[in-house]
Amino acid sequence: MKQCSDTMNRSSLTDDDDIEKMKELKEFDETKAGVKGLIDSGLSMVPRIFHCPPDDDDDDDDGDIDDEEKLVGEDGGLQVPVVDLQGLDNTTTATAAGGRNKIVGEIRMALETWGCFQMINHGVPIPTMDNLLECVKQFHEQSQESKLEYYSRDSRKVKYYSTADMYITKVAQWKDSLSCDFEDDAAVDSQTLPSVCRGTIQSYLKCMVRLRNELSELLSEALGLEKDRLASMECLNISKFLCHYYPPCPQPELTQGTGKHSDPFFLTILLQDSIGGLQVYHKNKWVDVPPLHGSLIVNAGDILQLISNDKFISVDHRVKVGQIGPRISAVCFLFPSKKNESKAYGPLTELLSKNNAPKYRETSYKEYVQCYAAKGVYDIKALPHFKIA
Ligand code: OGA
Ligand code: NI
Protein backbone atom coordinates (compact mmCIF):
# COMPACT_ATOMS: atom_id res chain seq x y z
CA MET A 1 0.00 0.00 0.00
CA LYS A 2 1.26 3.45 -0.84
CA GLN A 3 1.66 5.66 2.17
CA CYS A 4 0.60 9.24 2.36
CA SER A 5 3.71 10.21 4.23
CA ASP A 6 5.61 10.96 1.00
CA THR A 7 3.50 14.07 0.65
CA MET A 8 4.06 15.02 4.24
CA ASN A 9 7.79 14.94 3.63
CA ARG A 10 7.37 17.10 0.58
CA SER A 11 5.46 19.58 2.71
CA SER A 12 8.23 19.97 5.24
CA LEU A 13 10.26 23.14 5.23
CA THR A 14 12.92 23.10 2.57
CA ASP A 15 14.58 26.49 2.46
CA ASP A 16 14.71 30.00 3.84
CA ASP A 17 11.94 31.13 1.56
CA ASP A 18 9.59 28.60 3.08
CA ILE A 19 10.57 29.65 6.58
CA GLU A 20 9.88 33.27 5.68
CA LYS A 21 6.51 32.34 4.18
CA MET A 22 5.55 30.42 7.31
CA LYS A 23 6.37 33.52 9.32
CA GLU A 24 4.16 35.67 7.12
CA LEU A 25 1.33 33.14 7.31
CA LYS A 26 1.62 33.14 11.08
CA GLU A 27 1.55 36.92 11.22
CA PHE A 28 -1.59 36.94 9.11
CA ASP A 29 -3.16 34.19 11.24
CA GLU A 30 -2.39 36.04 14.45
CA THR A 31 -4.37 39.08 13.35
CA LYS A 32 -7.42 36.76 13.72
CA ALA A 33 -9.14 39.12 11.33
CA GLY A 34 -9.00 36.97 8.19
CA VAL A 35 -8.95 38.24 4.62
CA LYS A 36 -11.86 40.51 5.48
CA GLY A 37 -9.56 42.22 7.99
CA LEU A 38 -6.93 42.78 5.27
CA ILE A 39 -9.50 44.36 2.97
CA ASP A 40 -10.84 46.55 5.76
CA SER A 41 -7.32 47.79 6.41
CA GLY A 42 -7.32 49.28 2.92
CA LEU A 43 -5.02 46.76 1.28
CA SER A 44 -4.60 47.29 -2.48
CA MET A 45 -2.11 44.53 -3.35
CA VAL A 46 -2.48 40.82 -2.68
CA PRO A 47 0.28 39.73 -0.23
CA ARG A 48 2.54 36.98 -1.50
CA ILE A 49 1.23 34.36 0.94
CA PHE A 50 -1.94 34.40 -1.19
CA HIS A 51 -0.12 34.01 -4.49
CA CYS A 52 -0.89 30.58 -5.81
CA PRO A 53 0.68 28.70 -8.68
CA PRO A 54 -1.58 28.46 -11.74
CA ASP A 55 -3.35 25.10 -12.01
CA ASP A 56 -1.36 22.90 -14.37
CA ASP A 57 -4.47 22.33 -16.45
CA ASP A 58 -5.41 26.00 -16.72
CA ASP A 59 -4.44 26.23 -20.37
CA ASP A 60 -5.86 22.90 -21.47
CA ASP A 61 -8.59 23.76 -23.84
CA ASP A 62 -8.60 20.77 -26.05
CA GLY A 63 -11.73 19.24 -24.52
CA ASP A 64 -12.98 16.96 -27.24
CA ILE A 65 -16.58 18.05 -26.90
CA ASP A 66 -18.91 15.48 -28.39
CA ASP A 67 -22.63 15.94 -28.59
CA GLU A 68 -22.97 14.23 -25.28
CA GLU A 69 -26.21 14.71 -23.37
CA LYS A 70 -27.24 17.88 -25.17
CA LEU A 71 -25.41 19.75 -22.46
CA VAL A 72 -24.12 22.47 -24.67
CA GLY A 73 -24.84 25.89 -23.24
CA GLU A 74 -25.93 28.96 -25.14
CA ASP A 75 -22.35 30.07 -25.55
CA GLY A 76 -21.48 26.79 -27.19
CA GLY A 77 -19.60 25.63 -24.09
CA LEU A 78 -20.44 22.75 -21.81
CA GLN A 79 -23.12 23.24 -19.20
CA VAL A 80 -23.31 21.61 -15.80
CA PRO A 81 -26.46 19.42 -15.77
CA VAL A 82 -29.54 20.87 -14.09
CA VAL A 83 -31.87 18.31 -12.51
CA ASP A 84 -35.43 19.35 -11.70
CA LEU A 85 -36.76 17.39 -8.71
CA GLN A 86 -40.33 18.64 -9.20
CA GLY A 87 -42.93 15.94 -8.71
CA LEU A 88 -40.68 13.53 -6.88
CA ASP A 89 -42.97 13.17 -3.88
CA ASN A 90 -46.00 12.17 -5.86
CA THR A 91 -45.58 8.52 -6.74
CA THR A 92 -49.28 7.71 -6.93
CA THR A 93 -49.67 8.00 -10.68
CA ALA A 94 -47.88 6.25 -13.47
CA THR A 95 -46.72 9.61 -14.82
CA ALA A 96 -45.20 10.54 -11.48
CA ALA A 97 -43.41 7.19 -11.24
CA GLY A 98 -42.08 7.78 -14.74
CA GLY A 99 -40.96 11.20 -13.55
CA ARG A 100 -38.96 9.62 -10.76
CA ASN A 101 -37.25 7.24 -13.17
CA LYS A 102 -36.38 10.18 -15.37
CA ILE A 103 -34.91 12.10 -12.43
CA VAL A 104 -32.92 9.06 -11.30
CA GLY A 105 -31.63 8.66 -14.86
CA GLU A 106 -30.57 12.29 -15.02
CA ILE A 107 -28.77 12.03 -11.70
CA ARG A 108 -27.01 8.86 -12.84
CA MET A 109 -25.88 10.50 -16.05
CA ALA A 110 -24.73 13.64 -14.23
CA LEU A 111 -22.70 11.78 -11.61
CA GLU A 112 -21.20 9.40 -14.17
CA THR A 113 -20.06 12.11 -16.53
CA TRP A 114 -19.64 15.26 -14.46
CA GLY A 115 -19.61 14.17 -10.82
CA CYS A 116 -21.98 17.02 -10.04
CA PHE A 117 -25.27 18.69 -10.95
CA GLN A 118 -27.37 21.69 -10.09
CA MET A 119 -30.70 20.88 -8.53
CA ILE A 120 -33.91 22.92 -8.70
CA ASN A 121 -37.32 22.38 -7.02
CA HIS A 122 -35.54 20.42 -4.32
CA GLY A 123 -37.99 21.42 -1.58
CA VAL A 124 -35.71 23.78 0.36
CA PRO A 125 -37.62 27.08 0.50
CA ILE A 126 -35.83 29.85 -1.38
CA PRO A 127 -36.24 32.34 1.52
CA THR A 128 -34.47 29.84 3.82
CA MET A 129 -31.53 29.78 1.40
CA ASP A 130 -31.53 33.56 0.94
CA ASN A 131 -31.69 34.10 4.70
CA LEU A 132 -28.78 31.79 5.23
CA LEU A 133 -26.58 33.61 2.72
CA GLU A 134 -27.53 36.90 4.31
CA CYS A 135 -26.73 35.80 7.85
CA VAL A 136 -23.40 34.28 6.79
CA LYS A 137 -22.57 37.68 5.33
CA GLN A 138 -23.62 39.31 8.60
CA PHE A 139 -21.43 36.96 10.61
CA HIS A 140 -18.35 37.80 8.56
CA GLU A 141 -19.18 41.51 8.44
CA GLN A 142 -19.53 41.91 12.20
CA SER A 143 -16.89 43.98 13.91
CA GLN A 144 -13.58 42.20 14.36
CA GLU A 145 -14.04 42.21 18.13
CA SER A 146 -17.33 40.32 17.88
CA LYS A 147 -15.84 37.59 15.70
CA LEU A 148 -12.59 37.30 17.59
CA GLU A 149 -13.77 34.71 20.11
CA TYR A 150 -14.57 32.33 17.25
CA TYR A 151 -11.22 32.56 15.44
CA SER A 152 -9.44 29.25 15.95
CA ARG A 153 -7.66 26.30 14.37
CA ASP A 154 -8.22 23.93 17.27
CA SER A 155 -10.73 21.12 17.44
CA ARG A 156 -13.64 23.17 18.72
CA LYS A 157 -16.91 22.50 16.95
CA VAL A 158 -17.81 26.02 15.87
CA LYS A 159 -15.03 28.31 14.76
CA TYR A 160 -13.95 30.67 12.08
CA TYR A 161 -10.60 30.85 10.31
CA SER A 162 -8.94 31.73 7.07
CA THR A 163 -7.68 28.80 4.95
CA ALA A 164 -7.81 25.64 7.04
CA ASP A 165 -4.73 24.02 5.54
CA MET A 166 -2.47 27.00 4.89
CA TYR A 167 0.35 25.73 7.11
CA ILE A 168 0.47 22.54 5.01
CA THR A 169 0.20 24.10 1.57
CA LYS A 170 2.00 27.32 2.56
CA VAL A 171 -0.55 29.19 0.50
CA ALA A 172 -3.43 31.17 1.95
CA GLN A 173 -6.67 31.36 0.03
CA TRP A 174 -8.79 34.42 -0.49
CA LYS A 175 -11.59 33.57 1.90
CA ASP A 176 -12.69 33.30 5.51
CA SER A 177 -14.80 30.40 6.70
CA LEU A 178 -17.21 29.77 9.54
CA SER A 179 -17.02 26.06 10.29
CA CYS A 180 -19.55 23.99 12.26
CA ASP A 181 -18.90 20.33 13.07
CA PHE A 182 -21.61 18.20 14.55
CA GLU A 183 -22.57 14.65 15.25
CA ASP A 184 -25.43 13.09 13.39
CA ASP A 185 -27.44 15.52 11.41
CA ALA A 186 -28.75 18.67 12.98
CA ALA A 187 -27.83 17.87 16.56
CA VAL A 188 -25.71 20.98 16.55
CA ASP A 189 -25.51 22.58 19.94
CA SER A 190 -27.41 25.77 19.39
CA GLN A 191 -25.57 27.62 22.13
CA THR A 192 -22.23 27.32 20.37
CA LEU A 193 -23.48 28.86 17.12
CA PRO A 194 -22.91 32.59 16.75
CA SER A 195 -26.10 34.39 17.74
CA VAL A 196 -26.22 36.37 14.48
CA CYS A 197 -26.88 33.20 12.48
CA ARG A 198 -28.06 30.64 15.05
CA GLY A 199 -31.74 30.25 14.12
CA THR A 200 -31.12 30.57 10.41
CA ILE A 201 -28.43 27.90 10.35
CA GLN A 202 -30.67 25.55 12.32
CA SER A 203 -33.61 26.07 9.94
CA TYR A 204 -31.36 25.50 6.94
CA LEU A 205 -29.83 22.33 8.41
CA LYS A 206 -33.30 20.91 9.09
CA CYS A 207 -34.02 21.31 5.38
CA MET A 208 -30.67 19.69 4.56
CA VAL A 209 -31.62 16.61 6.58
CA ARG A 210 -34.85 16.20 4.58
CA LEU A 211 -32.98 16.73 1.33
CA ARG A 212 -30.24 14.31 2.38
CA ASN A 213 -32.87 11.61 2.95
CA GLU A 214 -34.24 12.22 -0.52
CA LEU A 215 -30.81 12.23 -2.14
CA SER A 216 -29.78 9.10 -0.27
CA GLU A 217 -32.64 7.23 -1.95
CA LEU A 218 -32.15 8.83 -5.35
CA LEU A 219 -28.44 8.07 -5.38
CA SER A 220 -29.00 4.46 -4.28
CA GLU A 221 -31.45 4.08 -7.16
CA ALA A 222 -29.06 5.82 -9.54
CA LEU A 223 -26.50 3.16 -8.62
CA GLY A 224 -29.12 0.53 -9.48
CA LEU A 225 -29.53 -0.49 -5.81
CA GLU A 226 -32.41 -0.69 -3.33
CA LYS A 227 -33.33 2.81 -2.30
CA ASP A 228 -32.36 2.34 1.33
CA ARG A 229 -28.90 0.98 0.46
CA LEU A 230 -26.89 4.12 1.19
CA ALA A 231 -28.96 4.91 4.29
CA SER A 232 -28.14 1.44 5.64
CA MET A 233 -24.43 2.21 5.30
CA GLU A 234 -24.76 5.25 7.56
CA CYS A 235 -22.35 7.18 5.45
CA LEU A 236 -24.37 10.30 4.67
CA ASN A 237 -24.51 12.17 7.92
CA ILE A 238 -24.51 15.90 7.59
CA SER A 239 -21.50 16.35 9.80
CA LYS A 240 -19.73 19.49 8.62
CA PHE A 241 -21.05 22.82 7.51
CA LEU A 242 -18.78 25.51 6.08
CA CYS A 243 -19.94 29.05 5.42
CA HIS A 244 -17.43 30.83 3.20
CA TYR A 245 -16.95 34.54 2.68
CA TYR A 246 -14.81 35.48 -0.35
CA PRO A 247 -14.03 39.22 -0.14
CA PRO A 248 -13.57 41.23 -3.33
CA CYS A 249 -9.97 40.92 -4.45
CA PRO A 250 -7.82 43.76 -5.87
CA GLN A 251 -5.66 41.37 -7.95
CA PRO A 252 -7.79 38.30 -8.62
CA GLU A 253 -5.36 36.80 -11.12
CA LEU A 254 -2.76 36.25 -8.38
CA THR A 255 -4.81 34.14 -6.02
CA GLN A 256 -7.74 31.78 -5.65
CA GLY A 257 -10.74 31.55 -3.36
CA THR A 258 -10.54 27.78 -3.21
CA GLY A 259 -7.82 25.88 -5.03
CA LYS A 260 -8.48 22.89 -7.25
CA HIS A 261 -9.58 19.92 -5.16
CA SER A 262 -12.14 17.20 -4.86
CA ASP A 263 -14.10 16.78 -1.64
CA PRO A 264 -12.85 13.91 0.54
CA PHE A 265 -16.41 13.03 1.55
CA PHE A 266 -19.36 11.06 0.23
CA LEU A 267 -21.42 13.96 -0.97
CA THR A 268 -21.51 17.75 -0.87
CA ILE A 269 -24.57 20.02 -1.05
CA LEU A 270 -23.51 23.54 -1.93
CA LEU A 271 -25.36 26.84 -1.98
CA GLN A 272 -23.73 29.77 -3.75
CA ASP A 273 -24.94 33.34 -4.08
CA SER A 274 -25.31 35.29 -7.32
CA ILE A 275 -21.66 36.38 -7.74
CA GLY A 276 -20.29 33.25 -9.44
CA GLY A 277 -16.74 31.92 -9.44
CA LEU A 278 -17.30 28.21 -8.82
CA GLN A 279 -15.83 26.05 -11.58
CA VAL A 280 -15.76 22.31 -12.16
CA TYR A 281 -13.22 20.41 -14.23
CA HIS A 282 -14.84 18.48 -17.04
CA LYS A 283 -13.39 17.10 -20.27
CA ASN A 284 -10.11 18.95 -19.81
CA LYS A 285 -11.83 22.25 -19.29
CA TRP A 286 -12.76 24.44 -16.38
CA VAL A 287 -16.49 25.01 -16.67
CA ASP A 288 -18.34 27.75 -14.74
CA VAL A 289 -21.16 26.67 -12.48
CA PRO A 290 -23.46 29.60 -13.20
CA PRO A 291 -25.39 31.00 -10.24
CA LEU A 292 -29.01 29.91 -10.55
CA HIS A 293 -31.22 31.47 -7.91
CA GLY A 294 -32.97 28.82 -5.84
CA SER A 295 -30.66 26.03 -6.94
CA LEU A 296 -28.34 23.82 -4.93
CA ILE A 297 -25.27 22.08 -6.29
CA VAL A 298 -24.53 18.44 -5.53
CA ASN A 299 -20.94 17.19 -5.82
CA ALA A 300 -19.90 13.57 -5.60
CA GLY A 301 -17.00 13.17 -3.17
CA ASP A 302 -13.99 10.84 -3.30
CA ILE A 303 -15.59 8.16 -1.14
CA LEU A 304 -18.67 7.96 -3.31
CA GLN A 305 -16.31 7.37 -6.25
CA LEU A 306 -14.58 4.65 -4.21
CA ILE A 307 -17.73 2.76 -3.13
CA SER A 308 -19.22 3.06 -6.62
CA ASN A 309 -15.99 1.62 -8.07
CA ASP A 310 -15.56 4.65 -10.36
CA LYS A 311 -19.15 4.59 -11.63
CA PHE A 312 -19.65 8.04 -10.12
CA ILE A 313 -16.78 10.46 -10.28
CA SER A 314 -15.63 12.86 -7.64
CA VAL A 315 -15.46 16.21 -9.35
CA ASP A 316 -12.47 18.54 -9.21
CA HIS A 317 -13.59 22.06 -8.52
CA ARG A 318 -12.27 25.45 -7.46
CA VAL A 319 -13.43 28.99 -6.79
CA LYS A 320 -12.01 31.95 -8.68
CA VAL A 321 -12.23 35.28 -6.94
CA GLY A 322 -13.14 38.57 -8.57
CA GLN A 323 -13.02 42.28 -7.93
CA ILE A 324 -16.72 42.20 -7.19
CA GLY A 325 -17.84 40.71 -3.94
CA PRO A 326 -18.12 39.45 -1.33
CA ARG A 327 -19.15 36.06 -2.63
CA ILE A 328 -20.92 33.85 -0.10
CA SER A 329 -21.35 30.11 -0.18
CA ALA A 330 -22.58 27.53 2.33
CA VAL A 331 -21.43 23.96 2.01
CA CYS A 332 -22.83 20.83 3.70
CA PHE A 333 -20.52 17.84 3.74
CA LEU A 334 -22.01 14.38 4.11
CA PHE A 335 -19.86 11.62 5.59
CA PRO A 336 -20.04 9.00 8.38
CA SER A 337 -20.60 10.32 11.88
CA LYS A 338 -17.98 9.80 14.56
CA LYS A 339 -19.32 6.41 15.61
CA ASN A 340 -18.77 5.14 12.08
CA GLU A 341 -15.49 6.85 11.31
CA SER A 342 -13.51 3.61 11.59
CA LYS A 343 -16.06 1.50 9.68
CA ALA A 344 -14.61 0.03 6.48
CA TYR A 345 -16.05 1.20 3.17
CA GLY A 346 -15.08 -0.41 -0.11
CA PRO A 347 -16.55 -0.90 -3.58
CA LEU A 348 -20.12 -2.17 -3.15
CA THR A 349 -20.27 -5.88 -3.89
CA GLU A 350 -23.56 -5.54 -5.81
CA LEU A 351 -21.75 -3.38 -8.34
CA LEU A 352 -18.91 -5.82 -8.90
CA SER A 353 -18.79 -8.56 -11.50
CA LYS A 354 -16.30 -10.59 -13.49
CA ASN A 355 -15.81 -7.59 -15.74
CA ASN A 356 -15.86 -5.09 -12.94
CA ALA A 357 -13.31 -6.09 -10.34
CA PRO A 358 -12.87 -3.88 -7.26
CA LYS A 359 -10.62 -0.96 -8.10
CA TYR A 360 -10.08 0.18 -4.53
CA ARG A 361 -9.23 -1.42 -1.25
CA GLU A 362 -11.47 -0.85 1.73
CA THR A 363 -10.78 2.13 3.89
CA SER A 364 -12.40 3.94 6.76
CA TYR A 365 -13.43 7.53 6.61
CA LYS A 366 -10.90 8.31 9.33
CA GLU A 367 -8.01 6.78 7.40
CA TYR A 368 -9.06 8.43 4.17
CA VAL A 369 -9.36 11.88 5.61
CA GLN A 370 -6.02 11.60 7.38
CA CYS A 371 -4.40 10.84 4.06
CA TYR A 372 -6.18 13.78 2.47
CA ALA A 373 -5.34 16.16 5.29
CA ALA A 374 -1.66 15.35 4.92
CA LYS A 375 -1.75 16.64 1.37
CA GLY A 376 -3.55 19.93 1.50
CA VAL A 377 -5.75 21.21 -1.21
CA TYR A 378 -3.10 21.98 -3.81
CA ASP A 379 -1.53 18.54 -3.83
CA ILE A 380 -2.41 15.45 -5.78
CA LYS A 381 -5.59 13.51 -5.13
CA ALA A 382 -5.76 11.07 -2.23
CA LEU A 383 -7.98 8.56 -4.03
CA PRO A 384 -5.19 6.91 -6.08
CA HIS A 385 -3.52 5.87 -2.82
CA PHE A 386 -6.38 3.46 -2.23
CA LYS A 387 -6.32 1.99 -5.71
CA ILE A 388 -5.63 -1.71 -6.03
CA ALA A 389 -2.55 -1.89 -8.21
C1 OGA B 1 -15.50 23.51 -0.44
C2 OGA B 1 -15.82 24.12 -1.75
C3 OGA B 1 -16.90 25.87 -2.99
C4 OGA B 1 -17.60 27.17 -2.79
O1 OGA B 1 -15.72 24.17 0.60
O2 OGA B 1 -15.03 22.35 -0.45
O3 OGA B 1 -15.50 23.54 -2.75
O4 OGA B 1 -18.35 27.56 -3.68
N1 OGA B 1 -16.44 25.31 -1.77
O5 OGA B 1 -17.36 27.82 -1.77
NI1 NI C 1 -15.08 21.45 -2.34
Side-chain angles (χ1 to χ4, degrees):
M1 174 198 128
K2 269 186 167 173
Q3 295 293 333
C4 298
S5 53
D6 53 357
T7 338
M8 291 188 85
N9 293 340
R10 214 166 42 244
S11 295
S12 62
L13 295 181
T14 48
D15 55 25
D16 292 350
D17 199 40
D18 273 352
I19 294 172
E20 194 52 38
K21 253 195 187 162
M22 285 301 253
K23 220 174 95 201
E24 289 167 26
L25 285 167
K26 198 149 182 289
E27 274 165 20
F28 164 63
D29 204 17
E30 281 171 354
T31 67
K32 300 184 184 237
V35 181
K36 173 81 171 70
L38 285 179
I39 288 292
D40 289 348
S41 70
L43 175 114
S44 60
M45 308 251 288
V46 170
R48 73 164 187 158
I49 49 167
F50 293 92
H51 293 193
C52 65
D55 287 327
D56 45 15
D57 40 32
D58 253 343
D59 300 327
D60 295 357
D61 214 339
D62 55 349
D64 54 346
I65 301 167
D66 45 37
D67 22 69
E68 166 216 309
E69 314 124 32
K70 297 191 219 90
L71 289 171
V72 178
E74 280 167 23
D75 60 355
L78 285 169
Q79 202 177 68
V80 175
V82 177
V83 178
D84 186 347
L85 298 193
Q86 183 81 50
L88 205 54
D89 289 341
N90 182 359
T91 47
T92 50
T93 64
T95 335
R100 185 173 182 96
N101 288 343
K102 182 166 168 279
I103 291 167
V104 167
E106 286 173 4
I107 291 176
R108 179 186 305 118
M109 167 85 93
L111 294 181
E112 281 176 359
T113 53
W114 286 76
C116 67
F117 57 92
Q118 300 225 64
M119 200 168 44
I120 55 170
N121 296 316
H122 39 62
V124 182
I126 293 181
T128 306
M129 300 196 285
D130 289 346
N131 288 344
L132 180 76
L133 292 171
E134 182 52 36
C135 84
V136 170
K137 183 161 181 270
Q138 281 173 15
F139 170 81
H140 288 282
E141 293 186 352
Q142 290 174 94
S143 67
Q144 267 181 37
E145 301 78 63
S146 325
K147 281 187 296 185
L148 208 57
E149 59 168 313
Y150 288 100
Y151 195 91
S152 169
R153 291 182 188 279
D154 66 18
S155 57
R156 82 177 71 161
K157 291 196 160 54
V158 177
K159 60 194 172 218
Y160 114 91
Y161 50 74
S162 191
T163 314
D165 58 359
M166 71 180 188
Y167 289 123
I168 298 172
T169 60
K170 298 186 215 80
V171 180
Q173 301 183 342
W174 200 258
K175 67 165 178 293
D176 300 328
S177 309
L178 170 65
S179 162
C180 312
D181 290 333
F182 36 90
E183 289 286 302
D184 294 345
D185 301 340
V188 54
D189 173 7
S190 65
Q191 290 316 306
T192 56
L193 287 172
S195 56
V196 61
C197 40
R198 192 173 293 159
T200 318
I201 288 185
Q202 284 177 318
S203 309
Y204 184 78
L205 289 177
K206 275 199 189 111
C207 295
M208 286 298 108
V209 171
R210 274 203 301 274
L211 185 59
R212 182 277 314 274
N213 294 342
E214 194 74 79
L215 285 171
S216 172
E217 294 190 356
L218 288 168
L219 258 68
S220 300
E221 291 172 65
L223 284 167
L225 305 170
E226 293 296 321
K227 68 179 182 188
D228 62 354
R229 183 63 172 102
L230 288 175
S232 73
M233 291 168 64
E234 301 183 306
C235 58
L236 292 178
N237 276 294
I238 300 176
S239 309
K240 189 173 196 61
F241 187 49
L242 288 183
C243 301
H244 301 303
Y245 182 95
Y246 299 84
C249 180
Q251 295 173 297
E253 63 292 351
L254 294 181
T255 185
Q256 284 198 21
T258 300
K260 174 185 172 180
H261 69 289
S262 58
D263 295 335
F265 308 106
F266 273 80
L267 204 69
T268 303
I269 306 174
L270 191 152
L271 167 63
Q272 66 167 341
D273 70 4
S274 59
I275 297 284
L278 178 65
Q279 297 184 322
V280 295
Y281 198 64
H282 177 73
K283 290 191 173 257
N284 302 322
K285 264 180 166 255
W286 282 105
V287 180
D288 290 329
V289 183
L292 185 59
H293 188 225
S295 73
L296 289 164
I297 298 147
V298 174
N299 285 346
D302 291 353
I303 309 197
L304 182 54
Q305 176 164 347
L306 184 145
I307 63 153
S308 72
N309 211 32
D310 284 349
K311 182 171 170 63
F312 291 167
I313 52 170
S314 158
V315 65
D316 281 336
H317 53 286
R318 68 182 182 186
V319 178
K320 303 296 276 180
V321 284
Q323 281 176 341
I324 299 173
R327 172 186 186 269
I328 315 286
S329 62
V331 197
C332 261
F333 297 107
L334 279 58
F335 53 94
S337 65
K338 202 128 189 97
K339 82 173 161 57
N340 287 322
E341 70 177 8
S342 299
K343 189 166 158 176
Y345 292 101
L348 295 172
T349 45
E350 304 95 305
L351 301 179
L352 303 175
S353 64
K354 225 164 60 194
N355 299 326
N356 188 16
K359 297 191 170 87
Y360 299 97
R361 67 173 180 85
E362 286 192 335
T363 180
S364 67
Y365 178 69
K366 191 173 179 188
E367 181 193 21
Y368 191 83
V369 102
Q370 271 166 2
C371 183
Y372 188 93
K375 292 168 182 309
V377 83
Y378 288 108
D379 219 317
I380 51 169
K381 281 178 91 118
L383 201 52
H385 285 271
F386 297 87
K387 229 167 178 149
I388 296 172

